[in-house]
Amino acid sequence: MPALFISDLHLDAERPAITDLFGRFLADEARGADALYILGDLFEAWVGDDDPSDVGAFVADRLATLTRAGTPVFFLRGNRDFLVGDRFARRARMHILPDPAVVLLEGTPTLLMHGDLLCTDDVKYQAFRAQTRDPHWQAQFLAQPLAARLAFAQQARAASKAHQGGLQQQGLMEAITDVAPATVDATLARFGIGKLIHGHTHRPAVHDEPNGTRIVLGDWYEQGSVLRVDRDGAQLSSLAA
């Protein structure tokens, strides 16, 4: 059975059809898979493991059911859900991986990333990322009341949309928010690995890079996107909502 890779589901109460699609995927294809890897942005926003949302409870229950059925689940934090912690991981019975992480797929070392670390031309975002990944910042943020954290998440989403809108007006959206080729090359060379799988950019494709192969996962805004890896190779396809 193949190993399955997904990312950028951005699950949110405002898009119940995609949450339902994810639930069906877990109950159907994911059962019996060698493993399920979720490479970040499972949620549209995550402000701490005390988040009482129905979507979070649904995901934890369905992932735990999947692992009890025999499919291990591995999660790599994204730019929207970087605060997913051990408490939620235990509820969902999933393993949190570092970003980047190296795994063996059919005997081949493969580098896994969310993908935002590769978008180094987006200087403003990289500065925000560095701030919010700081353990001191996270401790202070998580100490705030839930209502304050939820308000911050809404403000951050609005700021992100404004930032992207400004890039679109300048005609820079495609270039700035995609990966930087030099950073991809340097990352593959640094790890000495010729295969990279990531999400984040919402541009599903298979790229032949100077130092190897880069597979980009698609998002789940209008449909699902799944990468299947087995002894016959890798297949990237979509799932109808």
Side-chain angles (χ1 to χ4, degrees):
M1 297 298 290
L4 305 176
F5 295 82
I6 58 176
S7 73
D8 300 282
L9 288 81
H10 294 268
L11 298 179
D12 185 84
E14 296 179 1
R15 295 187 304 117
I18 295 300
T19 302
D20 290 343
L21 176 63
F22 180 51
R24 295 196 301 273
F25 167 75
L26 295 180
D28 184 13
E29 182 176 3
R31 288 209 172 202
D34 281 351
L36 172 64
Y37 293 87
I38 305 172
L39 303 190
D41 285 1
L42 174 58
F43 300 104
E44 177 67 10
W46 192 258
V47 297
D49 287 356
D50 58 342
D51 188 318
S53 71
D54 291 339
V55 172
F58 175 87
V59 169
D61 176 71
R62 296 304 189 274
L63 289 178
T65 298
L66 179 64
T67 60
R68 283 193 291 266
T71 300
V73 177
F74 300 92
F75 174 77
L76 196 154
R77 298 178 179 96
N79 56 293
R80 297 298 185 99
D81 50 18
F82 59 88
L83 287 172
V84 168
D86 293 338
R87 177 178 166 187
F88 183 79
R90 288 192 296 270
R91 286 175 60 195
R93 299 175 66 92
M94 67 183 187
H95 305 279
I96 297 180
L97 298 176
D99 185 3
V102 177
V103 299
L104 277 178
L105 297 178
E106 300 296 332
T108 300
T110 303
L111 185 64
L112 307 181
M113 304 179 71
H114 174 57
D116 55 340
L117 282 169
L118 301 170
C119 302
T120 50
D121 289 338
D122 193 344
V123 177
K124 185 174 181 179
Y125 167 72
Q126 292 299 332
F128 174 79
R129 188 189 193 284
Q131 176 193 33
T132 55
R133 298 312 188 276
D134 179 77
H136 181 67
W137 184 94
Q138 292 188 3
Q140 286 189 323
F141 180 78
L142 292 172
Q144 297 180 38
L146 178 61
R149 284 179 272 141
L150 290 170
F152 175 88
Q154 290 183 334
Q155 293 171 358
R157 289 166 67 177
S160 176
K161 289 181 180 179
H163 176 53
Q164 293 181 12
L167 292 176
Q168 287 178 332
Q169 289 181 347
Q170 300 173 60
L172 298 174
M173 182 67 175
E174 291 298 316
I176 295 298
T177 61
D178 203 354
V179 301
T183 304
V184 172
D185 292 346
T187 300
L188 289 171
R190 175 162 57 94
F191 282 89
I193 291 176
K195 189 173 184 180
L196 166 62
I197 301 173
H198 72 83
H200 180 66
T201 64
H202 302 187
R203 296 173 172 91
V206 179
H207 300 272
D208 291 325
E209 303 288 353
N211 291 316
T213 300
R214 178 170 63 93
I215 302 176
V216 186
L217 307 176
D219 64 70
W220 285 53
Y221 278 118
E222 303 296 334
Q223 70 290 305
S225 178
V226 182
L227 173 70
R228 303 168 182 88
V229 178
D230 59 20
R231 66 185 64 183
D232 296 322
Q235 177 189 25
L236 185 63
S237 60
S238 60
L239 299 175

